[in-house]
Amino acid sequence: WQQPGRGRKRFAIINLQPTPKDRVAELVVRGRADYVLTQLAARLGVGVPPYDATADAVLRLARRVRQPSRSASAASRRPPSKAAAAPSKAAATVAPSKAAA
């Protein structure tokens, strides 16, 4: 990672906590990424498809790595509920980075 300048990539960071790259980001947003991106998509008029755990390739790989023990209940192997996957209504704050100033 290098300081922004001529020929350098511009990027934004969406995170709840400060990151080491905040100072070189064009825009820093303090908030939950799912909430911020859902709000951005709504403003842009772009639809966000509902989450489908059965089509989640990362979740499928994680299940292969962590095989449940025989004593584990079936409930512990189920994908997260829609309520657990719903975005938080927590407000996001936007702070311009020092690089953009």
Side-chain angles (χ1 to χ4, degrees):
W1 293 74
Q2 298 174 340
Q3 294 287 335
R6 241 169 88 167
R8 302 278 164 40
K9 301 291 181 185
R10 295 168 47 178
F11 64 95
I13 293 175
I14 303 171
N15 203 34
L16 286 171
Q17 300 174 337
T19 74
K21 300 301 175 191
D22 285 356
R23 62 185 177 82
V24 295
E26 189 75 19
L27 175 70
V28 176
V29 180
R30 295 280 174 245
R32 295 183 179 276
D34 55 350
Y35 177 75
V36 172
L37 293 174
T38 300
Q39 296 301 310
L40 177 61
R43 289 262 177 132
L44 295 173
V46 177
V48 177
Y51 175 72
D52 179 7
T54 62
D56 190 331
V58 174
L59 184 59
R60 217 174 10 257
L61 289 172
R63 286 186 182 148
R64 284 187 206 151
V65 171
R66 186 182 60 102
Q67 293 295 324
S69 65
R70 290 184 179 179
S71 63
S73 68
S76 67
R77 289 177 279 186
R78 274 191 240 134
S81 69
K82 285 189 177 192
S88 166
K89 299 293 184 205
T93 59
V94 178
S97 72
K98 290 180 175 70

